[in-house]
Amino acid sequence: MNKDQQLSIFKHIINTKTVNDNEAELADYLAGLFAPYADQAVKVEKVHYAPGRDNLVVTIGHGGKVLGFTGHMDVVDPGDLSAWETDPFDATIKDGKLYGRGACDMKSGLAAVVVALLELLEQGVHLPGTIKLLATVGEETGNYGAAQLTQKGYANDLDALLVCEPNNDLHDVTYACKGVVDYYVTAVGRAAHSSRPENGVNAIDHLFEFARLAKAKLDQFDQEDPALGKLTHIVSKFNGGEQINSVPSHAVMAGNIRTIPQYPNKAVYEALNNTVAELNQQPDHQLSIRYSFPEEPMGGNVNSSLIQEVEATANQVLGWTPTPTVSTGANDGQEFTQADKEFTSVIIGPGGDCSHMPNEYVDLTAYYQAIAFYKQFAQDFLTE
């Protein structure tokens, strides 16, 4: 495959509008690229998530070690179009960079691994093992596709997973990530005139009580992970009350917690649920809690064999050794590593620091380097 063909696939992926939706169109396109190789032990599966939203699983080969690659097909909304110098859904090349929504996060990584696998098939490279591409829906809004594929067992046979998210144009490799817990607490009170507050129940006051008590409980989680640091917690949203001269009868607060392996999400749920239960033992307290976007922390070993293998291939193909790093963000790998089988996941891909921004771009040199890296890494990993 020449560079024009490699670029054409990338552009098509960018131009397919998948703003937290419509991944089925992109999944169909990618499935069509692999369809001509059905006689080369290639299995293509679309896993339906919702109308217009399909995950894609492409399995190449059988037996031996199993190497996974994953990338998400959805992108965030482009926001204010007047802030863009180009159409975010019409891939545009300027000064060696490709601009478009998802160019960095993370359609460049997805396109690079798709092209790398197609080239292996095109060239008839024999691989004594199995490659599995897991292209997902809904990563930007909760890793829903990865969760679905994990629940259905698609990651249960993996021996390693490369998440093709942007990571300093392949100069970094991330081996550990904090988990995420978003929570919402609702308090129900009783309205009354503000001149007679004794006749009401102040829902906002009860949320203040929750916030203070939850902070005290979570502050006890003070052990520090050597790589990821401490668990963090912020109250990020607060809304309540009807008008300024009424006792508020309803209020909602939200918070965000970044967890570490020493205090996994289960420990946080227990602490917060107990806080709600304790307050509800008091007169007139009616609090409830719900959670969204839960991602377990992903611990890692900077000296793992997978890191060493990534470094060896990068040295050979790219001419540098990626720097091992950790992340406070979430990614699909954290879902996949909840599979029945234990395996190591790392993040390495093209793209820099412009994710979710207007005029998002990727350096095309990094895109072509990613193709070469993924292609060689698959061969190196499976032939060890």
Side-chain angles (χ1 to χ4, degrees):
M1 193 179 298
N2 59 40
K3 281 193 173 182
D4 287 341
Q5 293 169 313
Q6 294 173 338
L7 186 57
S8 176
I9 289 172
F10 186 11
K11 284 183 172 181
H12 193 114
I13 291 173
I14 290 287
N15 295 347
T16 305
K17 193 173 183 179
T18 55
V19 180
N20 301 317
D21 198 1
N22 196 43
E23 294 97 335
E25 181 181 343
L26 182 51
D28 287 343
Y29 170 69
L30 298 178
L33 295 176
F34 287 98
Y37 301 100
D39 61 342
Q40 296 186 37
V42 175
K43 181 180 181 182
V44 179
E45 302 171 78
K46 285 182 283 186
V47 181
H48 183 68
Y49 176 75
R53 311 193 76 174
D54 292 338
N55 300 287
L56 182 70
V57 180
V58 179
T59 305
I60 301 173
H62 53 79
K65 294 167 67 176
V66 181
L67 172 64
F69 290 97
T70 188
H72 60 86
M73 296 180 285
D74 61 313
V75 297
V76 299
D77 191 282
D80 181 6
L81 296 180
S82 67
W84 286 77
E85 296 177 4
T86 63
D87 184 338
F89 297 105
D90 184 10
T92 303
I93 297 173
K94 295 191 303 180
D95 301 322
K97 300 178 177 66
L98 186 144
Y99 290 82
R101 176 51 89 215
C104 177
D105 184 13
M106 60 161 293
K107 287 184 170 180
S108 55
L110 177 63
V113 73
V114 165
V115 169
L117 300 185
L118 288 171
E119 289 191 351
L120 289 172
L121 292 168
E122 181 181 73
Q123 296 166 12
V125 176
H126 173 69
L127 297 172
T130 305
I131 299 174
K132 187 174 282 188
L133 171 63
L134 304 159
T136 63
V137 307
E139 191 271 351
E140 296 289 4
T141 50
N143 302 84
Y144 310 131
Q148 181 189 28
L149 293 180
T150 302
Q151 291 164 5
K152 288 182 174 292
Y154 284 96
N156 285 345
D157 58 349
L158 298 184
D159 291 297
L161 177 69
L162 263 61
V163 181
C164 305
E165 290 271 12
N167 210 354
N168 192 21
D169 283 339
L170 300 111
H171 284 80
D172 292 343
V173 55
T174 297
Y175 65 92
C177 306
K178 283 188 173 181
V180 180
V181 175
D182 287 343
Y183 69 86
Y184 300 83
V185 180
T186 300
V188 177
R190 184 171 64 248
H193 197 284
S194 61
S195 65
R196 297 181 295 277
E198 68 276 6
N199 293 333
V201 175
N202 192 319
I204 290 179
D205 281 350
H206 292 176
L207 288 188
F208 287 160
E209 292 178 57
F210 172 87
R212 287 192 295 268
L213 187 55
K215 182 180 186 303
K217 287 181 179 291
L218 293 175
D219 281 350
Q220 296 175 28
F221 293 180
D222 58 358
Q223 186 175 346
E224 188 167 340
D225 184 90
L228 295 169
K230 291 184 176 181
L231 175 146
T232 62
H233 168 225
I234 65 163
V235 173
S236 50
K237 294 180 67 177
F238 212 105
N239 184 39
E242 293 76 37
Q243 60 187 53
I244 197 167
N245 62 341
S246 292
V247 174
S249 64
H250 184 272
V252 179
M253 63 168 282
N256 175 272
I257 299 169
R258 301 288 166 150
T259 57
I260 58 177
Q262 289 81 354
Y263 306 111
N265 292 7
K266 181 179 178 181
V268 170
Y269 300 149
E270 183 177 2
L272 297 184
N273 291 342
N274 287 343
T275 302
V276 169
E278 290 173 25
L279 290 172
N280 283 341
Q281 295 299 310
Q282 300 182 28
D284 295 323
H285 284 63
Q286 296 183 53
L287 286 83
S288 60
I289 188 167
R290 67 178 179 87
Y291 303 96
S292 69
F293 195 46
E295 290 297 333
E296 291 291 340
M298 187 178 76
N301 179 2
V302 69
N303 298 312
S304 72
S305 60
L306 184 59
I307 290 286
Q308 294 173 14
E309 291 161 359
V310 165
E311 291 174 340
T313 300
N315 268 310
Q316 174 189 350
V317 175
L318 306 175
W320 65 76
T321 301
T323 302
T325 63
V326 299
S327 172
T328 57
N331 67 87
D332 276 345
Q334 288 164 261
E335 284 290 347
F336 288 124
T337 51
Q338 303 305 307
D340 291 346
K341 179 181 179 182
E342 185 174 337
F343 59 88
T344 302
S345 172
V346 298
I347 303 170
I348 183 166
D353 296 328
C354 58
S355 298
H356 300 196
M357 296 173 63
N359 304 307
E360 180 180 355
Y361 71 90
V362 70
D363 191 309
L364 283 175
T365 297
Y367 169 64
Y368 296 125
Q369 289 171 329
I371 294 171
F373 171 77
Y374 294 144
K375 183 178 175 182
Q376 187 60 49
F377 185 82
Q379 297 174 78
D380 292 345
F381 181 85
L382 296 178
T383 55
E384 281 185 339

